[in-house]
């Protein structure tokens, strides 16, 4: 139960005065009013704190999600476009470049690309959970300035053990750029990055009917570890795939 708030008269005047606003014959004496305002003091003895639910008065202030179109800082420098912050890690035989996530300016492209192929919808907070916590495990494929592929991963201790488990959360390739090895290249970049951070294993889930994804990952050494019945919101089963690194 919430307690009653303390009395709130913070300001007080000389107790001999009965009113703050002096009136004589219906006319306010503003000079006397100014003098009285100068004599107002704060009563420090009054406890004006609210003793009820602290969450009503001390809730954290949240900042609205920044727009992807806003400027961002990368290594202390301001950038006004995603291309300003990108460092090319490699280029393939098709001329496509591969870069690591660098700034919020890339978030819109990632969300647009991945949302086309998701089995269930993700909010921007889901993307930010992964990308802001593990930005070094997010990679993009680019055709010039156009984002044509993206992979989003994380790496953390597994079930309170010393083993570190990597997780591929999202992988998407633009439909018009598929069957060009982009998915394999992005997955390899992510696997190498997680291996370099001492990952012991890497897991992911994919729909049992997604034969192209199953083929891609199995070529990279993943095996079917478990079938998860009605795993997705659309009722489709998933395979959990696992790659052992140690």
């Amino acid at each position: 139960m919430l307690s009653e708030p303390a009395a709130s008269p913070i300001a007080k005047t000389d107790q001999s005065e009965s009113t703050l606003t002096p009136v004589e014959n219906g006319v306010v004496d503003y000079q006397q009013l100014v003098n009285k305002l100068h004599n107002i003091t704060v009563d420090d003895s009054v406890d004006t704190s609210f003793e009820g639910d602290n969450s009503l008065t001390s809730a954290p202030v949240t900042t609205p999600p920044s727009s992807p179109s806003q400027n961002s800082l990368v290594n202390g420098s301001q950038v006004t476009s995603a291309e300003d912050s990108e460092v090319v890690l490699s280029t393939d035989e098709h001329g496509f470049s591969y870069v690591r996530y660098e700034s919020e300016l890339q978030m819109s492209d990632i969300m647009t690309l991945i949302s086309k192929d998701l089995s269930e919808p993700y909010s921007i907070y889901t993307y930010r959970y992964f990308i802001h916590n593990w930005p070094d495990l997010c990679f993009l494929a680019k055709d010039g300035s156009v984002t044509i592929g993206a992979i989003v991963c994380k790496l953390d201790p597994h079930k309170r053990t010393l083993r570190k488990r990597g997780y591929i959360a999202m992988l998407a390739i633009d439909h018009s750029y598929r069957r060009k090895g982009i998915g394999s290249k992005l997955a390899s970049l992510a696997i190498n990055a997680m291996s370099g951070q001492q990952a012991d294993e890497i897991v992911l889930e994919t729909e049992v009917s997604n034969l192209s994804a199953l083929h891609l990952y199995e070529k990279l050494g993943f095996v079917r570890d478990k079938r998860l019945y009605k795993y997705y919101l659309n009722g489709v089963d998933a395979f959990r795939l696992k790659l052992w690194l140690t």
Side-chain angles (χ1 to χ4, degrees), residues 163-216:
R163 293 182 62 81
K164 297 178 72 174
R165 168 178 278 190
Y167 180 68
I168 298 178
M170 311 171 201
L171 171 62
I173 310 299
D174 187 283
H175 283 267
S176 59
Y177 287 88
R178 293 183 177 178
R179 301 187 183 280
K180 298 181 183 296
I182 298 172
S184 295
K185 179 65 175 179
L186 287 170
S188 295
L189 285 171
I191 291 169
N192 290 337
M194 288 185 274
S195 176
Q197 296 182 37
Q198 289 74 53
D200 296 290
E201 59 187 34
I202 299 173
V203 300
L204 62 98
E205 293 87 24
T206 189
E207 292 182 357
V208 296
S209 58
N210 193 341
L211 300 181
S212 59
L214 291 169
H215 179 67
L216 182 155

Side-chain angles (χ1 to χ4, degrees), residues 81-83 85-86 96-117 131 138-152 171-178 182 186:
S81 68
E83 290 72 30
S85 65
E86 292 172 351
F96 305 142
S97 57
Y98 297 84
V99 302
R100 183 181 281 112
Y101 176 85
E102 295 289 350
S103 80
E104 180 79 9
L105 295 170
Q106 297 162 306
M107 183 70 74
S108 178
D109 286 347
I110 296 172
M111 292 177 59
T112 300
L113 181 66
I114 293 178
S115 63
K116 295 177 181 178
D117 297 309
I131 296 174
C138 176
F139 299 91
L140 311 178
K142 309 275 292 189
D143 183 7
S145 61
V146 179
T147 300
I148 58 176
I151 189 168
V152 177
L171 171 62
I173 310 299
D174 187 283
H175 283 267
S176 59
Y177 287 88
R178 293 183 177 178
I182 298 172
L186 287 170

Side-chain angles (χ1 to χ4, degrees), residues 23-222:
V23 180
E24 184 174 352
N25 298 325
V27 178
V28 177
D29 187 335
Y30 289 102
Q31 185 58 49
Q32 290 189 44
L33 174 60
V34 170
N35 292 338
K36 287 181 178 292
L37 289 173
H38 281 299
N39 291 329
I40 291 177
T41 59
V42 175
D43 186 353
D44 293 329
S45 66
V46 176
D47 181 6
T48 59
S49 62
F50 184 72
E51 298 178 352
D53 185 352
N54 288 335
S55 65
L56 297 178
T57 56
S58 60
V61 177
T62 57
T63 302
S66 58
S67 168
S69 63
Q70 292 178 338
N71 296 348
S72 297
L73 291 177
V74 178
N75 296 326
S77 301
Q78 189 176 58
V79 295
T80 57
S81 68
E83 290 72 30
D84 291 341
S85 65
E86 292 172 351
V87 177
V88 175
L89 302 175
S90 63
T91 304
D92 64 17
E93 65 273 19
H94 302 288
F96 305 142
S97 57
Y98 297 84
V99 302
R100 183 181 281 112
Y101 176 85
E102 295 289 350
S103 80
E104 180 79 9
L105 295 170
Q106 297 162 306
M107 183 70 74
S108 178
D109 286 347
I110 296 172
M111 292 177 59
T112 300
L113 181 66
I114 293 178
S115 63
K116 295 177 181 178
D117 297 309
L118 287 179
S119 299
E120 53 196 32
Y122 290 156
S123 74
I124 189 173
Y125 301 105
T126 302
Y127 289 96
R128 284 180 172 165
Y129 165 73
F130 287 103
I131 296 174
H132 286 188
N133 285 303
W134 297 275
D136 53 337
L137 298 180
C138 176
F139 299 91
L140 311 178
K142 309 275 292 189
D143 183 7
S145 61
V146 179
T147 300
I148 58 176
I151 189 168
V152 177
C153 311
K154 73 169 185 171
L155 176 65
D156 49 16
H158 178 50
K159 293 183 178 179
R160 300 179 182 178
T161 68
L162 296 179
R163 293 182 62 81
K164 297 178 72 174
R165 168 178 278 190
Y167 180 68
I168 298 178
M170 311 171 201
L171 171 62
I173 310 299
D174 187 283
H175 283 267
S176 59
Y177 287 88
R178 293 183 177 178
R179 301 187 183 280
K180 298 181 183 296
I182 298 172
S184 295
K185 179 65 175 179
L186 287 170
S188 295
L189 285 171
I191 291 169
N192 290 337
M194 288 185 274
S195 176
Q197 296 182 37
Q198 289 74 53
D200 296 290
E201 59 187 34
I202 299 173
V203 300
L204 62 98
E205 293 87 24
T206 189
E207 292 182 357
V208 296
S209 58
N210 193 341
L211 300 181
S212 59
L214 291 169
H215 179 67
L216 182 155
Y217 288 118
E218 287 170 352
K219 281 181 59 178
L220 293 171
F222 285 83

